[in-house]
């Protein structure tokens, strides 16, 4: 069975560490990737870590994951609240899906309270800062055992 997990990040997360640090913290996306790689190595998982500001690229990676990945961890960022297309793509993926948000979207503006992706996600982590990513990966490891 595949031990490959896709970790996908949506728009503006390339600016992590510089963007609104009072909300998203001071760690960069490279820091997040490094933390995930440490967990993956210990868990004997392989990861592909991607970020895009383009909805279609995220959809294409989800399609690619259909053929080779056991699970998907996704922070869809603003597409969380708008993208039926991402939901449809995730509905074409058979393995576990964990949705991650750095901030607690339920404590923020009303338009952030709804997630299309949550209609598919097997689990959701929100508001734990970037620590949510390694936690999601540890949980993914358990799901894939
Ligand atoms: C990141 C974003 O860019 C926002 O658009 C979401 C999410 C929240 C996060 O907390 O990781 O609303």
């Amino acid at each position: 069975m595949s031990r490959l997990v896709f970790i996908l990040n949506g728009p503006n997360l390339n600016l992590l560490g510089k963007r609104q640090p009072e909300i998203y913290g001071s760690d960069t996306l490279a820091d997040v990737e490094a933390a995930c790689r440490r967990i993956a190595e210990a868990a004997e998982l392989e990861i592909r870590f991607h970020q895009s500001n383009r909805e279609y690229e995220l959809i294409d990676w989800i399609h690619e994951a259909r053929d080779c990945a056991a699970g998907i961890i996704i922070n869809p960022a603003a597409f969380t609240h708008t993208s039926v297309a991402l939901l449809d793509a995730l509905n074409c993926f058979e393995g576990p899906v964990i949705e991650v948000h750095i901030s607690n979207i339920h404590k923020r503006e009303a338009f952030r309270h709804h997630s299309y992706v949550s209609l598919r996600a097997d689990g959701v982590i929100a508001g734990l800062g970037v620590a949510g990513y390694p936690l999601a990966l540890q949980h993914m490891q358990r799901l894939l055992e």
Side-chain angles (χ1 to χ4, degrees):
M1 186 185 158
S2 165
R3 299 282 294 166
L4 175 62
V5 177
F6 275 39
I7 304 178
L8 303 178
N9 293 278
N12 302 305
L13 290 170
N14 53 311
L15 296 179
L16 203 61
K18 298 179 198 139
R19 163 201 193 207
Q20 296 181 282
E22 69 286 2
I23 296 175
Y24 299 105
S26 54
D27 286 353
T28 66
L29 200 60
D31 296 329
V32 174
E33 180 172 355
C36 289
R37 291 207 176 279
R38 283 193 291 274
I39 298 288
E41 195 179 348
E44 296 183 341
L45 292 170
E46 187 190 340
I47 59 171
R48 287 198 198 150
F49 194 98
H50 295 299
Q51 186 276 331
S52 182
N53 296 324
R54 300 170 189 84
E55 192 175 17
Y56 76 87
E57 266 186 319
L58 294 161
I59 292 167
D60 286 349
W61 285 321
I62 294 167
H63 291 179
E64 191 184 318
R66 276 166 50 82
D67 296 325
C68 58
I72 295 176
I73 294 169
I74 184 166
N75 182 347
F79 294 146
T80 306
H81 320 295
T82 61
S83 183
V84 176
L86 272 185
L87 170 63
D88 286 349
L90 288 166
N91 276 331
C92 300
F93 179 77
E94 287 187 0
V97 173
I98 302 177
E99 177 182 353
V100 173
H101 302 286
I102 296 166
S103 63
N104 181 358
I105 55 174
H106 302 289
K107 202 178 172 188
R108 299 182 64 191
E109 303 96 319
F111 65 83
R112 294 185 204 274
H113 296 177
H114 178 260
S115 166
Y116 284 102
V117 169
S118 290
L119 292 167
R120 167 61 181 88
D122 299 292
V124 182
I125 295 175
L128 301 187
V130 295
Y133 286 83
L135 288 170
L137 196 52
Q138 281 168 340
H139 190 70
M140 185 64 78
Q141 177 196 3
R142 284 192 284 276
L143 292 178
L144 298 180
E145 267 165 14

